[in-house]
Amino acid sequence: MSSTLITWNGAAAITVLNDKLLMVRGKGTTSWGVPSGQIEIGETAEQACIREVSEETGYTVMIKEALHTKKTVIGNYDVTTYYFLCEVVSGQITYHDPDEIIEEIAWKTYDELASLQHDYPEDKEVLLSFVNVR
């Protein structure tokens, strides 16, 4: 019996400030990822990216450029995630995630990124490429 995959489209923000990358850690996990989430009905990938950063971190960002699109299958989901390079416009770290899934928000250095557990290990090298070694 074949199972039908559920389509899931999302957006992710690679946000760098002072050679550090904005990362979030979800509740009940030790791994980290960039702010990201599902694109809602009527929303563009860019709008979803900006909203997710605000919801998950408290920062308002603007998109500098579209980076790449990752397609993968996770469980029963056919996942497409649009990655954007973002710049902080305003705000500060604030916990007001409506989904209540974020445990910790932090700016990570190159060395910290290299040693921490990633939600999506396949993204590690790409993320490291955005942060300069000091």
Side-chain angles (χ1 to χ4, degrees):
M1 180 171 151
S2 67
S3 62
T4 303
L5 292 177
I6 300 164
T7 300
W8 187 94
N9 295 317
I14 295 178
T15 308
V16 179
L17 180 65
N18 300 324
D19 291 321
K20 294 180 181 176
L21 183 68
L22 184 60
M23 301 285 285
V24 295
R25 184 177 60 78
K27 290 182 179 176
T29 182
T30 58
S31 62
W32 290 79
V34 294
S36 61
Q38 186 168 11
I39 300 169
E40 295 179 355
I41 294 170
E43 209 174 33
T44 66
E46 292 85 355
Q47 290 167 331
C49 180
I50 292 167
R51 176 184 50 77
E52 287 291 343
V53 173
S54 176
E55 287 179 358
E56 293 185 359
T57 71
Y59 287 105
T60 299
V61 296
M62 67 178 213
I63 292 177
K64 299 294 284 180
E65 67 179 284
L67 294 172
H68 68 279
T69 302
K70 180 172 76 172
K71 294 182 179 289
T72 188
V73 174
I74 301 173
N76 292 330
Y77 291 88
D78 182 13
V79 177
T80 301
T81 306
Y82 301 90
Y83 284 75
F84 297 96
L85 180 61
C86 297
E87 180 179 302
V88 171
V89 175
S90 64
Q92 61 185 10
I93 290 178
T94 307
Y95 292 87
H96 61 81
D97 175 30
D99 299 324
E100 298 183 348
I101 58 170
I102 302 301
E103 179 76 25
E104 191 174 355
I105 306 161
W107 291 95
K108 297 292 187 180
T109 65
Y110 182 95
D111 288 342
E112 290 168 327
L113 284 170
S115 64
L116 60 78
Q117 182 179 343
H118 290 262
D119 286 338
Y120 302 99
E122 68 274 15
D123 291 351
K124 181 177 178 177
E125 292 306 315
V126 171
L127 297 178
L128 285 169
S129 74
F130 285 95
V131 182
N132 293 328
V133 179
R134 288 276 182 216

